[in-house]
Amino acid sequence: MTDEYTDNKIETKAADSSSGSYVPPAETIPAQEAPDQELYHAKSFWTKWVFCQDAKVIGIQYALTATAIGFIGLILSWGMRLQLGFPETFSFLGPATYYQSVTMHGMIMVIYLLTALFLGGFGNYLIPLMVGARDMVFPYVNMVSYWMFLVAVLVLIASFFVPGGPTGAGWTLYPPQAILPGTPGSEMGIVLMLVSLSLFVIGFTMGGLNYVITILQSRTRGMTLMRMPLTIWGIFTATVLALLAFPALFVACIMMTLDNLLGTSFFMPEIFTMGEKLEYGGGSPILFQHLFWFFGHPEVYIVALPAFGIVSDLISVHARKNVFGYRMMVWAIVIIGALSFIVWAHHMYVSGMNPWFGFFFATTTLIIAVPTAIKVYNWVLTLWRGNIHLTIPMLFSLGFIVTFVNGGITGLFLGNVIIDVPLSDTYFVVAHFHMVMGIAPLMVVFGAIYHWYPLITGRHLNQTLGKIHFWITFVGAYAIYFPMHYLGFIGVPRRYFEMYDSPYMTSGVGLNQFITVAALIVGFTQILFLYNIFTSWYKGEKSERNPWKANSLEWHTPDYPPTHGNFGKELPVVYRWPYDFSVPGSDKEYIPQDVPPSQVPTAKAEQT
Amino acid sequence: MSKKELNIFKLLSEKPWEDSQKVIDDQHDGKTLALSKAKLGVRTIMVVSTVIFSLFVVSYSDRMLVHDWRSLSEPWLLWVNTIILIFTSFVFHKTKVLSDKNEFEKAKNYLLIVGFLTFAFITGQLLVWQYYVNLGQYASTNPANAFFYLFTALHGVHVLGGLFFWGRATTKLFTKNFSVLKIKQAIELCAIYWHFLLIVWFILFGLMIAT
């Protein structure tokens, strides 16, 4: 870190000169007091595409790696669904394989796919471009961050090939069962999982350092925090959450690794197995649960907040209307982020706790609904009387709003102790969290890919394939998860390998088969999407510059698609927020962020 | 407002559409804080480390309530290590003062002393480990032991990380081919980090002797 800084004293002086007391005449461009960032210029193929320090390439590397591991997670879910829909049909699916699939599917999707894709992928690609920086502030650290992530992914994959296979302890990895014989993968699988998670956290911290400091300190002139696109606000807040929450996962992983390898008893209580007392004693499994969920709940918002931010931008651009209540949207993001740290024990109602404790956490959980509802209202009000273009990003955004409301409302029920206790171990919960943090953020991911693909490659994705992808994914997701709510109501327990002839299941058999078929169809559609991404890369319809007529800086680089250093000779200067669509008084349909007021003299400022 | 300070509430209630605010916004240089990137980076790292250590402290306080907890008796060597660490911080502060005055020849020697003392501290910690192992006090013997090994190891890893950046700063200073501003900042940041590690050690060590 010692190689990358500017003189502190000069910066202080710069700050002085822009103080509020002195009001300079409008439209003078403030002098660029801090010199431009020195960039590392790649010389060979290796430093340009492999060990690359350009945030855009790192973003693509992150996205491709996350997608690759995400497809493994998808295939694992097929295994689970085949077993649940058609038990005793497939010989390769035993109880051990089933639990390993459940565990790895959960962990891969939440951490290695969604977190890495939103923050590592979109974060790296979009932050420097959207805030008007040449690159991240510590490009070298940023590169190391990706390679740590890759190593974490490889360690995770390696756990499929060790004796005993990957861990099957459930994605929450609760001790004591996670490291005791009888749980699949309790030999090497769990160790590799814990090591992989620790590596992920270390790698993420390096990346997170970059995202936060780039957004805070490396914006271009005129880009105040309250002029930033909401995408950046979402990614920024999520990164802050991650920097504060991931340590809890790290701490839990380290202590559990020691319990497993050295025989310490941080989390392990006294245990009798096969008539013999184990060496362990005195540890508290509940402590692990607290640590895990102190990470685990903010993790939900680490995934959701970037999605909130991105979808706000997509809706605004594709409905040609400014975001309704921009400031309120920012406040909601910040408030949700803050509240997310004091709700974690609502995941532990069934672990047993003081009733007042449960009361507290139920209350905080329900309070989160307020800023979240504000966001939903504002999305809807942004659409209201907008010029809605039903492009694919817009379709996915609409799909997101509906899905998020669905998943959010079931969350309101589950937030109450008295409703959660009977429903907690049923498929109702599975349906709830897949809707709210699986399907909803994925809708945004897809929308965002269709939206920014032209920026990255200079070509459009195939529209027909895109529409097919959207409709099958959207309708299919509901075909999968709506029946699951019902299964939960009739009491079908989750985590069970097979229901056998349980009376709960008589009405559920057909439904389970239906869900499995839907899941397979939706899954295969994602392969279609992947096909679209790869073929459009060289065959897709050429996109003109700024095809969506967006205002934010990433579409207004001198080179299209943007090249190393992002902004050519001069960094842009920002005069407005990125949502100036159909501004009253202006004859222009949209006014990019870097257009000075003199070019649009009649445009009126809009109150937000 | 002569200095940029982060008042999150003021910032979030700005009204960018008002003409007066617009004029101020157009003059904004894009920095939220009057801090260099590196300084903010070190601070962020310290915040993340603080969260990690706090969570360990919480776990420690929770675990020690169980009846199987047997506190360790701290050897005198641990006190020696603590004094070494205090002294290191002190010397690092001197180094920083010297480099602020552009007396790099003197600062060089002080930096070497810092390195020597820090390595002495690490060696001392390893000796304490050896002392406990010889007594048959392994990590699995008792949760108090486990936490002791964990705390010292984690603190040690942080110290080693600091030594990496100390090494880079020292090498740069010795090659004589350095930018004055950069080396000053490197020394300052390392010094801050060393003080931080001293405080962390005070808290961990204090917790262990108090219980």
Side-chain angles (χ1 to χ4, degrees):
Chain A
M1 241 158 290
T2 41
D3 54 352
E4 195 75 60
Y5 33 68
T6 44
D7 180 22
N8 201 5
K9 297 212 169 77
I10 292 179
E11 282 179 41
T12 321
K13 207 177 89 199
D16 286 344
S17 64
S18 64
S19 64
S21 52
Y22 163 71
V23 182
E27 247 189 74
T28 49
I29 299 174
Q32 202 172 359
E33 308 230 14
D36 261 352
Q37 195 175 353
E38 273 175 51
L39 289 182
Y40 174 82
H41 294 288
K43 286 171 199 78
S44 71
F45 172 81
W46 284 96
T47 47
K48 198 163 180 196
W49 297 110
V50 184
F51 295 101
C52 184
Q53 300 190 21
D54 184 347
K56 293 190 291 300
V57 178
I58 295 175
I60 293 169
Q61 289 175 325
Y62 254 113
L64 290 179
T65 315
T67 313
I69 189 77
F71 264 84
I72 295 179
L74 178 70
I75 289 164
L76 291 170
S77 75
W78 291 347
M80 287 149 60
R81 275 324 310 177
L82 285 176
Q83 168 60 30
L84 291 168
F86 308 97
E88 291 168 27
T89 316
F90 301 95
S91 55
F92 57 89
L93 285 164
T97 323
Y98 176 77
Y99 285 119
Q100 287 164 334
S101 306
V102 173
T103 307
M104 298 307 273
H105 168 79
M107 201 58 108
I108 286 173
M109 290 307 194
V110 171
I111 294 185
Y112 297 88
L113 173 69
L114 284 174
T115 309
L117 194 55
F118 270 124
L119 300 181
F122 288 111
N124 266 310
Y125 200 93
L126 294 177
I127 291 172
L129 279 167
M130 280 188 151
V131 303
R134 297 213 177 274
D135 206 326
M136 290 288 183
V137 284
F138 310 119
Y140 185 81
V141 180
N142 204 23
M143 176 187 80
V144 178
S145 158
Y146 166 70
W147 288 96
M148 286 292 272
F149 170 62
L150 185 67
V151 173
V153 168
L154 292 178
V155 171
L156 189 78
I157 292 175
S159 78
F160 282 96
F161 302 100
V162 293
T167 177
W171 90 279
T172 51
L173 306 176
Y174 280 177
Q177 45 90 8
I179 60 175
L180 287 179
T183 305
S186 62
E187 300 93 353
M188 276 309 286
I190 181 73
V191 178
L192 288 180
M193 168 63 87
L194 295 170
V195 170
S196 170
L197 286 174
S198 306
L199 289 172
F200 181 90
V201 174
I202 296 170
F204 177 79
T205 307
M206 296 182 185
L209 196 69
N210 264 304
Y211 315 151
V212 168
I213 300 179
T214 306
I215 294 173
L216 280 180
Q217 297 296 82
S218 199
R219 302 189 307 275
T220 189
R221 284 161 291 165
M223 180 68 94
T224 60
L225 286 174
M226 295 310 266
R227 278 177 176 177
M228 289 198 305
L230 284 169
T231 300
I232 299 299
W233 265 108
I235 292 175
F236 173 70
T237 317
T239 310
V240 173
L241 293 192
L243 285 175
L244 300 175
F246 271 121
L249 179 68
F250 184 71
V251 166
C253 283
I254 289 197
M255 294 209 278
M256 188 136 84
T257 313
L258 295 179
D259 275 4
N260 193 6
L261 295 180
L262 297 185
T264 54
S265 300
F266 291 114
F267 302 131
M268 300 297 278
E270 265 182 359
I271 292 164
F272 289 85
T273 175
M274 315 247 194
E276 273 181 61
K277 187 176 177 295
L278 296 183
E279 295 275 302
Y280 295 117
S284 162
I286 300 286
L287 176 62
F288 177 89
Q289 297 190 10
H290 279 297
L291 286 172
F292 184 87
W293 288 114
F294 185 74
F295 143 77
H297 196 83
E299 169 66 27
V300 174
Y301 290 101
I302 292 166
V303 171
L305 290 180
F308 291 172
I310 290 173
V311 86
S312 311
D313 280 2
L314 296 191
I315 288 176
S316 167
V317 171
H318 293 268
R320 313 308 298 160
K321 197 160 161 264
N322 66 26
V323 164
F324 185 88
Y326 172 88
R327 287 202 308 165
M328 220 185 267
M329 292 296 246
V330 173
W331 297 342
I333 287 177
V334 174
I335 292 169
I336 291 172
L339 284 175
S340 75
F341 277 100
I342 48 168
V343 299
W344 79 88
H346 68 214
H347 297 271
M348 297 163 55
Y349 289 151
V350 289
S351 303
M353 61 174 74
N354 185 315
W356 288 109
F357 203 55
F359 175 73
F360 172 79
F361 281 102
T363 312
T364 51
T365 304
L366 296 181
I367 290 174
I368 276 206
V370 176
T372 318
I374 289 178
K375 293 197 78 74
V376 175
Y377 291 135
N378 283 2
W379 289 321
V380 175
L381 287 168
T382 305
L383 289 168
W384 190 57
R385 301 180 76 178
N387 178 6
I388 299 175
H389 297 248
L390 282 180
T391 55
I392 298 172
M394 178 51 104
L395 288 175
F396 274 110
S397 305
L398 297 174
F400 163 81
I401 297 177
V402 177
T403 313
F404 185 73
V405 168
N406 259 301
I409 286 177
T410 50
L412 280 178
F413 293 102
L414 290 173
N416 295 284
V417 186
I418 203 161
I419 301 173
D420 181 77
V421 169
L423 282 176
S424 185
D425 288 321
T426 70
Y427 270 91
F428 190 82
V429 171
V430 178
H432 157 70
F433 70 69
H434 276 92
M435 276 291 202
V436 81
M437 83 170 291
I439 303 304
L442 270 179
M443 290 275 163
V444 178
V445 166
F446 292 140
I449 291 175
Y450 284 96
H451 180 79
W452 277 300
Y453 190 85
L455 178 71
I456 297 168
T457 61
R459 287 168 190 278
H460 281 290
L461 284 164
N462 184 308
Q463 302 295 302
T464 319
L465 286 180
K467 292 227 159 118
I468 296 172
H469 176 221
F470 168 73
W471 283 110
I472 296 183
T473 308
F474 180 67
V475 177
Y478 280 78
I480 297 169
Y481 295 108
F482 260 179
M484 253 189 221
H485 289 94
Y486 174 72
L487 287 181
F489 279 142
I490 62 172
V492 178
R494 60 181 171 137
R495 306 197 187 93
Y496 279 29
F497 164 64
E498 196 183 333
M499 305 302 165
Y500 303 101
D501 288 330
S502 157
Y504 294 117
M505 279 311 289
T506 41
S507 62
V509 175
L511 270 186
N512 254 333
Q513 291 173 347
F514 173 76
I515 294 175
T516 300
V517 172
L520 289 174
I521 295 172
V522 172
F524 278 109
T525 313
Q526 307 317 311
I527 294 174
L528 192 71
F529 173 57
L530 212 58
Y531 168 84
N532 193 355
I533 286 188
F534 284 117
T535 50
S536 299
W537 201 292
Y538 52 94
K539 280 207 309 221
E541 177 202 343
K542 282 241 172 177
S543 135
E544 78 271 27
R545 189 178 266 272
N546 193 8
W548 313 115
K549 304 194 171 31
N551 292 333
S552 43
L553 291 177
E554 83 272 23
W555 297 101
H556 300 277
T557 54
D559 298 304
Y560 178 77
T563 48
H564 186 60
N566 291 351
F567 289 104
K569 261 191 182 161
E570 274 284 320
L571 286 174
V573 180
V574 168
Y575 297 96
R576 58 193 72 249
W577 67 337
Y579 304 109
D580 270 341
F581 298 110
S582 323
V583 180
S586 168
D587 51 347
K588 290 206 171 70
E589 206 262 327
Y590 66 104
I591 311 172
Q593 276 190 286
D594 54 351
V595 171
S598 58
Q599 289 184 24
V600 278
T602 50
K604 294 193 180 88
E606 287 174 283
Q607 185 169 344
T608 52
Chain B
M1 202 176 83
S2 62
K3 230 185 141 194
K4 284 196 185 181
E5 48 200 79
L6 187 62
N7 182 343
I8 186 86
F9 294 107
K10 188 159 179 285
L11 204 147
L12 289 175
S13 56
E14 272 175 13
K15 296 186 172 118
W17 61 86
E18 285 181 350
D19 286 339
S20 55
Q21 182 66 37
K22 198 170 161 15
V23 172
I24 298 171
D25 283 355
D26 283 349
Q27 292 299 315
H28 196 277
D29 67 352
K31 287 194 180 55
T32 316
L33 301 157
L35 278 177
S36 69
K37 297 164 190 167
K39 204 166 194 175
L40 195 58
V42 172
R43 285 195 186 177
T44 314
I45 292 285
M46 291 197 304
V47 168
V48 173
S49 296
T50 308
V51 175
I52 291 183
F53 283 114
S54 317
L55 288 166
F56 273 119
V57 168
V58 170
S59 309
Y60 183 96
S61 325
D62 184 70
R63 187 66 181 80
M64 62 178 266
L65 301 174
V66 182
H67 58 84
D68 65 344
W69 186 271
R70 305 275 174 278
S71 295
L72 278 168
S73 57
E74 284 76 16
W76 55 269
L77 191 55
L78 220 40
W79 287 99
V80 175
N81 289 347
T82 309
I83 291 166
I84 292 179
L85 202 59
I86 296 174
F87 193 56
T88 318
S89 237
F90 177 71
V91 177
F92 224 142
H93 179 68
K94 288 282 278 185
T95 320
K96 194 225 148 201
V97 172
L98 283 173
S99 91
D100 278 353
K101 287 192 233 153
N102 290 332
E103 296 181 29
F104 291 112
E105 283 307 311
K106 277 191 197 161
K108 249 188 212 174
N109 300 329
Y110 273 84
L111 264 187
L112 287 182
I113 298 173
V114 165
F116 172 76
L117 287 172
T118 312
F119 277 112
F121 171 76
I122 300 248
T123 321
Q125 296 288 72
L126 289 174
L127 287 176
V128 176
W129 278 22
Q130 199 197 19
Y131 165 81
Y132 278 131
V133 169
N134 287 340
L135 284 181
Q137 297 279 9
Y138 303 108
S140 55
T141 318
N142 191 275
N145 301 12
F147 271 108
F148 171 79
Y149 284 107
L150 190 59
F151 282 171
T152 44
L154 217 69
H155 183 260
V157 168
H158 275 78
V159 173
L160 288 179
L163 274 177
F164 173 75
F165 289 101
W166 164 87
R168 282 176 54 162
T170 314
T171 345
K172 233 180 247 166
L173 199 54
F174 270 84
T175 51
K176 307 215 168 181
N177 181 23
F178 57 82
S179 121
V180 171
L181 286 175
K182 283 188 177 186
I183 204 77
K184 270 188 184 175
Q185 180 148 21
I187 289 175
E188 188 195 351
L189 294 179
C190 281
I192 292 174
Y193 186 68
W194 252 256
H195 302 328
F196 168 71
L197 288 183
L198 178 67
I199 294 168
V200 168
W201 178 248
F202 276 154
I203 291 167
L204 296 181
F205 187 50
L207 189 69
M208 287 188 286
I209 50 176
T211 51

